[in-house]
Amino acid sequence: MLNLSSPNLPISIIIPVYKGGQAFYDCLASLKNSRLSPAQVIVVVDGDDPHSYQIAEAFGAKVLQLKTNQGPAVARNRGAEIATGDILFFTDADVTIHEDTLEKIAQVFESNPRVAALIGSYDDQPGASNFLSQYKNLFHHYNHQIGSEEASTFWGACGAIRRDIFSKMGGFDESYRRPCIEDIELGYRLKAAGYQIRLCKDIYVKHLKRWTPYSLLRADFFYRALPWTELIHRDRNFVNDLNLQWSSRLSVIFIYLLLIVLPASVWIPPLLFLVGLLIIGLIVLNWPVYQFFLKKRGFIFTLAILPWHWFYYFYSGLAFVIGTVKHKLKRNRSILPTKA
């Protein structure tokens, strides 16, 4: 059973889950080790998932059951509707918290009345041991550790917000029916309304997800990059933060130049010199990233991530082009004159 008590600013934890399995059990178990107990733990079972329901009940959480799978935006909003804490802390069912996560969240809000919301970071010890999971989750950790503390987005895996402000903003956009960018979209609306979001680099959670090539590409390309591009155009928000640094944008250009020049060098050998320059340029532009991986996992691991990291720039660039075209087509259709 979870030991529930209220800090000065009571925290309600909201966890959407659908077929959570062992990771979900570990998620709830980690709450028992928290130095600061939450006022509530609300689990929203997003569809027909009796096993997750039983796990949540066994841990003493307040459980909501949705009849059909509607996505985390809906699930989080339904959880927020019954929350009583002054602070809403959103996390995922495949995430565990550190013993000081809630304590540090409470300290930030208590000492900074102007902070409307905050986000934390994955730690540098991902739960899944396979190569792709280590790469993906460490890369996420790195991006948050170098990001601006004056954040421009929200994050549903480790994000806290004052309940009154969340309600005033209307919660997450429920038009996002899959695990998508509903958290980023909320962050953009918060910033547009003049609210402060803090990136707290010392507030950690551990990601347990085991990434495969299929799940990584599906999440990165279809659920994040494509809708995020359309959101960027909608709000005209090209903020140089997290995944939108200038080095990343230049790297995308270098990757596409490399894809053009490398095949051409078979017929025009002098182009091999340009190929070399582009490869050196990519390494120089991303040297801080590679230094990070060298320090954390060594030379062989760092060498192995290069193809995946450069592939990431390829599909990110492709998603931006496709998303931009989709946005322009939608905008053009919306301004076409209607027939009398």
Side-chain angles (χ1 to χ4, degrees), residues 268-291:
I268 311 174
L271 286 178
L272 285 172
F273 178 72
L274 182 55
V275 170
L277 287 179
L278 289 170
I279 291 173
I280 292 171
L282 282 166
I283 293 173
V284 170
L285 281 172
N286 295 280
W287 184 242
V289 185
Y290 303 147
Q291 275 189 312

PDB file of all heavy atoms in Angstrom, residues 268-291:
ATOM      1  N   ILE A 268      32.260  10.696 -59.904  1.00  0.00           N
ATOM      2  CA  ILE A 268      33.118  11.893 -59.852  1.00  0.00           C
ATOM      3  C   ILE A 268      33.995  11.775 -58.603  1.00  0.00           C
ATOM      4  O   ILE A 268      33.693  12.323 -57.541  1.00  0.00           O
ATOM      5  CB  ILE A 268      32.273  13.185 -59.805  1.00  0.00           C
ATOM      6  CG1 ILE A 268      31.198  13.171 -60.893  1.00  0.00           C
ATOM      7  CG2 ILE A 268      33.162  14.426 -59.957  1.00  0.00           C
ATOM      8  CD1 ILE A 268      30.236  14.336 -60.823  1.00  0.00           C
ATOM      9  N   PRO A 269      35.121  11.046 -58.698  1.00  0.00           N
ATOM     10  CA  PRO A 269      35.962  10.769 -57.530  1.00  0.00           C
ATOM     11  C   PRO A 269      36.400  12.000 -56.733  1.00  0.00           C
ATOM     12  O   PRO A 269      36.517  11.900 -55.491  1.00  0.00           O
ATOM     13  CB  PRO A 269      37.168  10.038 -58.135  1.00  0.00           C
ATOM     14  CG  PRO A 269      36.618   9.387 -59.359  1.00  0.00           C
ATOM     15  CD  PRO A 269      35.601  10.341 -59.896  1.00  0.00           C
ATOM     16  N   PRO A 270      36.654  13.161 -57.365  1.00  0.00           N
ATOM     17  CA  PRO A 270      37.054  14.319 -56.551  1.00  0.00           C
ATOM     18  C   PRO A 270      36.025  14.712 -55.490  1.00  0.00           C
ATOM     19  O   PRO A 270      36.362  15.387 -54.519  1.00  0.00           O
ATOM     20  CB  PRO A 270      37.210  15.439 -57.600  1.00  0.00           C
ATOM     21  CG  PRO A 270      37.570  14.719 -58.855  1.00  0.00           C
ATOM     22  CD  PRO A 270      36.783  13.449 -58.814  1.00  0.00           C
ATOM     23  N   LEU A 271      34.769  14.271 -55.671  1.00  0.00           N
ATOM     24  CA  LEU A 271      33.742  14.601 -54.679  1.00  0.00           C
ATOM     25  C   LEU A 271      33.966  13.883 -53.340  1.00  0.00           C
ATOM     26  O   LEU A 271      33.352  14.236 -52.340  1.00  0.00           O
ATOM     27  CB  LEU A 271      32.352  14.239 -55.216  1.00  0.00           C
ATOM     28  CG  LEU A 271      31.785  15.162 -56.307  1.00  0.00           C
ATOM     29  CD1 LEU A 271      30.428  14.654 -56.766  1.00  0.00           C
ATOM     30  CD2 LEU A 271      31.658  16.592 -55.789  1.00  0.00           C
ATOM     31  N   LEU A 272      34.863  12.875 -53.359  1.00  0.00           N
ATOM     32  CA  LEU A 272      35.168  12.192 -52.101  1.00  0.00           C
ATOM     33  C   LEU A 272      35.741  13.162 -51.069  1.00  0.00           C
ATOM     34  O   LEU A 272      35.566  12.982 -49.858  1.00  0.00           O
ATOM     35  CB  LEU A 272      36.151  11.041 -52.348  1.00  0.00           C
ATOM     36  CG  LEU A 272      35.554   9.782 -52.999  1.00  0.00           C
ATOM     37  CD1 LEU A 272      36.661   8.810 -53.375  1.00  0.00           C
ATOM     38  CD2 LEU A 272      34.556   9.121 -52.046  1.00  0.00           C
ATOM     39  N   PHE A 273      36.427  14.185 -51.563  1.00  0.00           N
ATOM     40  CA  PHE A 273      36.965  15.201 -50.654  1.00  0.00           C
ATOM     41  C   PHE A 273      35.818  15.918 -49.935  1.00  0.00           C
ATOM     42  O   PHE A 273      35.865  16.152 -48.720  1.00  0.00           O
ATOM     43  CB  PHE A 273      37.813  16.211 -51.441  1.00  0.00           C
ATOM     44  CG  PHE A 273      38.366  17.325 -50.596  1.00  0.00           C
ATOM     45  CD1 PHE A 273      39.386  17.100 -49.695  1.00  0.00           C
ATOM     46  CD2 PHE A 273      37.828  18.613 -50.690  1.00  0.00           C
ATOM     47  CE1 PHE A 273      39.887  18.132 -48.901  1.00  0.00           C
ATOM     48  CE2 PHE A 273      38.319  19.641 -49.914  1.00  0.00           C
ATOM     49  CZ  PHE A 273      39.346  19.405 -49.018  1.00  0.00           C
ATOM     50  N   LEU A 274      34.753  16.244 -50.691  1.00  0.00           N
ATOM     51  CA  LEU A 274      33.595  16.891 -50.088  1.00  0.00           C
ATOM     52  C   LEU A 274      32.882  15.946 -49.129  1.00  0.00           C
ATOM     53  O   LEU A 274      32.379  16.375 -48.082  1.00  0.00           O
ATOM     54  CB  LEU A 274      32.635  17.352 -51.187  1.00  0.00           C
ATOM     55  CG  LEU A 274      31.375  18.105 -50.733  1.00  0.00           C
ATOM     56  CD1 LEU A 274      31.747  19.301 -49.864  1.00  0.00           C
ATOM     57  CD2 LEU A 274      30.561  18.549 -51.946  1.00  0.00           C
ATOM     58  N   VAL A 275      32.846  14.653 -49.478  1.00  0.00           N
ATOM     59  CA  VAL A 275      32.260  13.666 -48.563  1.00  0.00           C
ATOM     60  C   VAL A 275      32.987  13.695 -47.219  1.00  0.00           C
ATOM     61  O   VAL A 275      32.365  13.712 -46.149  1.00  0.00           O
ATOM     62  CB  VAL A 275      32.323  12.249 -49.174  1.00  0.00           C
ATOM     63  CG1 VAL A 275      31.954  11.192 -48.128  1.00  0.00           C
ATOM     64  CG2 VAL A 275      31.398  12.145 -50.376  1.00  0.00           C
ATOM     65  N   GLY A 276      34.293  13.711 -47.288  1.00  0.00           N
ATOM     66  CA  GLY A 276      35.097  13.765 -46.064  1.00  0.00           C
ATOM     67  C   GLY A 276      34.822  15.019 -45.251  1.00  0.00           C
ATOM     68  O   GLY A 276      34.706  14.958 -44.017  1.00  0.00           O
ATOM     69  N   LEU A 277      34.694  16.147 -45.935  1.00  0.00           N
ATOM     70  CA  LEU A 277      34.422  17.405 -45.243  1.00  0.00           C
ATOM     71  C   LEU A 277      33.059  17.375 -44.551  1.00  0.00           C
ATOM     72  O   LEU A 277      32.912  17.867 -43.428  1.00  0.00           O
ATOM     73  CB  LEU A 277      34.477  18.573 -46.229  1.00  0.00           C
ATOM     74  CG  LEU A 277      35.853  18.993 -46.742  1.00  0.00           C
ATOM     75  CD1 LEU A 277      35.720  20.149 -47.720  1.00  0.00           C
ATOM     76  CD2 LEU A 277      36.770  19.379 -45.578  1.00  0.00           C
ATOM     77  N   LEU A 278      32.074  16.788 -45.230  1.00  0.00           N
ATOM     78  CA  LEU A 278      30.743  16.709 -44.637  1.00  0.00           C
ATOM     79  C   LEU A 278      30.740  15.814 -43.406  1.00  0.00           C
ATOM     80  O   LEU A 278      30.092  16.127 -42.394  1.00  0.00           O
ATOM     81  CB  LEU A 278      29.736  16.192 -45.671  1.00  0.00           C
ATOM     82  CG  LEU A 278      29.375  17.160 -46.796  1.00  0.00           C
ATOM     83  CD1 LEU A 278      28.568  16.450 -47.879  1.00  0.00           C
ATOM     84  CD2 LEU A 278      28.594  18.352 -46.254  1.00  0.00           C
ATOM     85  N   ILE A 279      31.462  14.694 -43.477  1.00  0.00           N
ATOM     86  CA  ILE A 279      31.540  13.793 -42.323  1.00  0.00           C
ATOM     87  C   ILE A 279      32.240  14.479 -41.153  1.00  0.00           C
ATOM     88  O   ILE A 279      31.786  14.422 -40.006  1.00  0.00           O
ATOM     89  CB  ILE A 279      32.267  12.489 -42.706  1.00  0.00           C
ATOM     90  CG1 ILE A 279      31.395  11.672 -43.661  1.00  0.00           C
ATOM     91  CG2 ILE A 279      32.612  11.677 -41.460  1.00  0.00           C
ATOM     92  CD1 ILE A 279      32.080  10.447 -44.224  1.00  0.00           C
ATOM     93  N   ILE A 280      33.343  15.171 -41.457  1.00  0.00           N
ATOM     94  CA  ILE A 280      34.055  15.917 -40.408  1.00  0.00           C
ATOM     95  C   ILE A 280      33.141  16.994 -39.827  1.00  0.00           C
ATOM     96  O   ILE A 280      33.085  17.214 -38.614  1.00  0.00           O
ATOM     97  CB  ILE A 280      35.348  16.543 -40.968  1.00  0.00           C
ATOM     98  CG1 ILE A 280      36.358  15.439 -41.310  1.00  0.00           C
ATOM     99  CG2 ILE A 280      35.951  17.526 -39.967  1.00  0.00           C
ATOM    100  CD1 ILE A 280      37.562  15.933 -42.062  1.00  0.00           C
ATOM    101  N   GLY A 281      32.390  17.676 -40.723  1.00  0.00           N
ATOM    102  CA  GLY A 281      31.475  18.708 -40.262  1.00  0.00           C
ATOM    103  C   GLY A 281      30.413  18.164 -39.316  1.00  0.00           C
ATOM    104  O   GLY A 281      30.085  18.795 -38.301  1.00  0.00           O
ATOM    105  N   LEU A 282      29.875  16.982 -39.636  1.00  0.00           N
ATOM    106  CA  LEU A 282      28.876  16.366 -38.764  1.00  0.00           C
ATOM    107  C   LEU A 282      29.459  16.025 -37.402  1.00  0.00           C
ATOM    108  O   LEU A 282      28.805  16.217 -36.369  1.00  0.00           O
ATOM    109  CB  LEU A 282      28.320  15.102 -39.424  1.00  0.00           C
ATOM    110  CG  LEU A 282      27.294  15.318 -40.529  1.00  0.00           C
ATOM    111  CD1 LEU A 282      27.075  14.026 -41.323  1.00  0.00           C
ATOM    112  CD2 LEU A 282      25.960  15.795 -39.935  1.00  0.00           C
ATOM    113  N   ILE A 283      30.679  15.535 -37.405  1.00  0.00           N
ATOM    114  CA  ILE A 283      31.322  15.186 -36.127  1.00  0.00           C
ATOM    115  C   ILE A 283      31.602  16.438 -35.309  1.00  0.00           C
ATOM    116  O   ILE A 283      31.369  16.470 -34.095  1.00  0.00           O
ATOM    117  CB  ILE A 283      32.618  14.394 -36.383  1.00  0.00           C
ATOM    118  CG1 ILE A 283      32.276  13.022 -36.978  1.00  0.00           C
ATOM    119  CG2 ILE A 283      33.417  14.230 -35.089  1.00  0.00           C
ATOM    120  CD1 ILE A 283      33.480  12.217 -37.424  1.00  0.00           C
ATOM    121  N   VAL A 284      32.066  17.506 -35.963  1.00  0.00           N
ATOM    122  CA  VAL A 284      32.356  18.759 -35.262  1.00  0.00           C
ATOM    123  C   VAL A 284      31.068  19.370 -34.697  1.00  0.00           C
ATOM    124  O   VAL A 284      31.022  19.793 -33.536  1.00  0.00           O
ATOM    125  CB  VAL A 284      33.066  19.754 -36.202  1.00  0.00           C
ATOM    126  CG1 VAL A 284      33.151  21.133 -35.548  1.00  0.00           C
ATOM    127  CG2 VAL A 284      34.450  19.257 -36.563  1.00  0.00           C
ATOM    128  N   LEU A 285      30.012  19.420 -35.524  1.00  0.00           N
ATOM    129  CA  LEU A 285      28.746  19.998 -35.079  1.00  0.00           C
ATOM    130  C   LEU A 285      28.176  19.256 -33.874  1.00  0.00           C
ATOM    131  O   LEU A 285      27.538  19.855 -33.006  1.00  0.00           O
ATOM    132  CB  LEU A 285      27.724  19.965 -36.217  1.00  0.00           C
ATOM    133  CG  LEU A 285      27.833  21.036 -37.294  1.00  0.00           C
ATOM    134  CD1 LEU A 285      26.879  20.729 -38.445  1.00  0.00           C
ATOM    135  CD2 LEU A 285      27.522  22.422 -36.726  1.00  0.00           C
ATOM    136  N   ASN A 286      28.405  17.949 -33.832  1.00  0.00           N
ATOM    137  CA  ASN A 286      27.803  17.123 -32.783  1.00  0.00           C
ATOM    138  C   ASN A 286      28.822  16.633 -31.761  1.00  0.00           C
ATOM    139  O   ASN A 286      28.522  15.718 -30.990  1.00  0.00           O
ATOM    140  CB  ASN A 286      27.099  15.924 -33.429  1.00  0.00           C
ATOM    141  CG  ASN A 286      25.929  16.341 -34.286  1.00  0.00           C
ATOM    142  OD1 ASN A 286      24.844  16.622 -33.784  1.00  0.00           O
ATOM    143  ND2 ASN A 286      26.137  16.401 -35.598  1.00  0.00           N
ATOM    144  N   TRP A 287      29.980  17.250 -31.737  1.00  0.00           N
ATOM    145  CA  TRP A 287      31.036  16.794 -30.844  1.00  0.00           C
ATOM    146  C   TRP A 287      30.609  16.787 -29.371  1.00  0.00           C
ATOM    147  O   TRP A 287      30.935  15.847 -28.631  1.00  0.00           O
ATOM    148  CB  TRP A 287      32.306  17.627 -31.023  1.00  0.00           C
ATOM    149  CG  TRP A 287      33.451  17.127 -30.198  1.00  0.00           C
ATOM    150  CD1 TRP A 287      34.106  17.797 -29.215  1.00  0.00           C
ATOM    151  CD2 TRP A 287      34.059  15.829 -30.259  1.00  0.00           C
ATOM    152  NE1 TRP A 287      35.094  17.015 -28.667  1.00  0.00           N
ATOM    153  CE2 TRP A 287      35.085  15.801 -29.286  1.00  0.00           C
ATOM    154  CE3 TRP A 287      33.836  14.700 -31.052  1.00  0.00           C
ATOM    155  CZ2 TRP A 287      35.874  14.676 -29.082  1.00  0.00           C
ATOM    156  CZ3 TRP A 287      34.631  13.574 -30.828  1.00  0.00           C
ATOM    157  CH2 TRP A 287      35.635  13.575 -29.865  1.00  0.00           C
ATOM    158  N   PRO A 288      29.865  17.791 -28.888  1.00  0.00           N
ATOM    159  CA  PRO A 288      29.427  17.720 -27.485  1.00  0.00           C
ATOM    160  C   PRO A 288      28.579  16.474 -27.199  1.00  0.00           C
ATOM    161  O   PRO A 288      28.692  15.889 -26.118  1.00  0.00           O
ATOM    162  CB  PRO A 288      28.605  19.004 -27.312  1.00  0.00           C
ATOM    163  CG  PRO A 288      29.177  19.950 -28.322  1.00  0.00           C
ATOM    164  CD  PRO A 288      29.520  19.082 -29.499  1.00  0.00           C
ATOM    165  N   VAL A 289      27.740  16.070 -28.174  1.00  0.00           N
ATOM    166  CA  VAL A 289      26.936  14.860 -27.998  1.00  0.00           C
ATOM    167  C   VAL A 289      27.842  13.638 -27.895  1.00  0.00           C
ATOM    168  O   VAL A 289      27.679  12.785 -27.013  1.00  0.00           O
ATOM    169  CB  VAL A 289      25.961  14.665 -29.181  1.00  0.00           C
ATOM    170  CG1 VAL A 289      25.046  13.463 -28.930  1.00  0.00           C
ATOM    171  CG2 VAL A 289      25.149  15.918 -29.425  1.00  0.00           C
ATOM    172  N   TYR A 290      28.812  13.562 -28.806  1.00  0.00           N
ATOM    173  CA  TYR A 290      29.686  12.393 -28.839  1.00  0.00           C
ATOM    174  C   TYR A 290      30.615  12.355 -27.628  1.00  0.00           C
ATOM    175  O   TYR A 290      30.951  11.276 -27.130  1.00  0.00           O
ATOM    176  CB  TYR A 290      30.465  12.376 -30.150  1.00  0.00           C
ATOM    177  CG  TYR A 290      29.553  12.389 -31.368  1.00  0.00           C
ATOM    178  CD1 TYR A 290      29.914  13.029 -32.553  1.00  0.00           C
ATOM    179  CD2 TYR A 290      28.297  11.784 -31.327  1.00  0.00           C
ATOM    180  CE1 TYR A 290      29.063  13.055 -33.648  1.00  0.00           C
ATOM    181  CE2 TYR A 290      27.439  11.807 -32.404  1.00  0.00           C
ATOM    182  CZ  TYR A 290      27.825  12.450 -33.562  1.00  0.00           C
ATOM    183  OH  TYR A 290      26.975  12.479 -34.645  1.00  0.00           O
ATOM    184  N   GLN A 291      31.016  13.526 -27.143  1.00  0.00           N
ATOM    185  CA  GLN A 291      31.794  13.565 -25.898  1.00  0.00           C
ATOM    186  C   GLN A 291      30.974  12.996 -24.740  1.00  0.00           C
ATOM    187  O   GLN A 291      31.503  12.270 -23.890  1.00  0.00           O
ATOM    188  CB  GLN A 291      32.193  15.007 -25.570  1.00  0.00           C
ATOM    189  CG  GLN A 291      33.460  15.481 -26.268  1.00  0.00           C
ATOM    190  CD  GLN A 291      33.893  16.829 -25.729  1.00  0.00           C
ATOM    191  OE1 GLN A 291      33.093  17.754 -25.606  1.00  0.00           O
ATOM    192  NE2 GLN A 291      35.165  16.963 -25.412  1.00  0.00           N
TER     193      GLN A 291
END
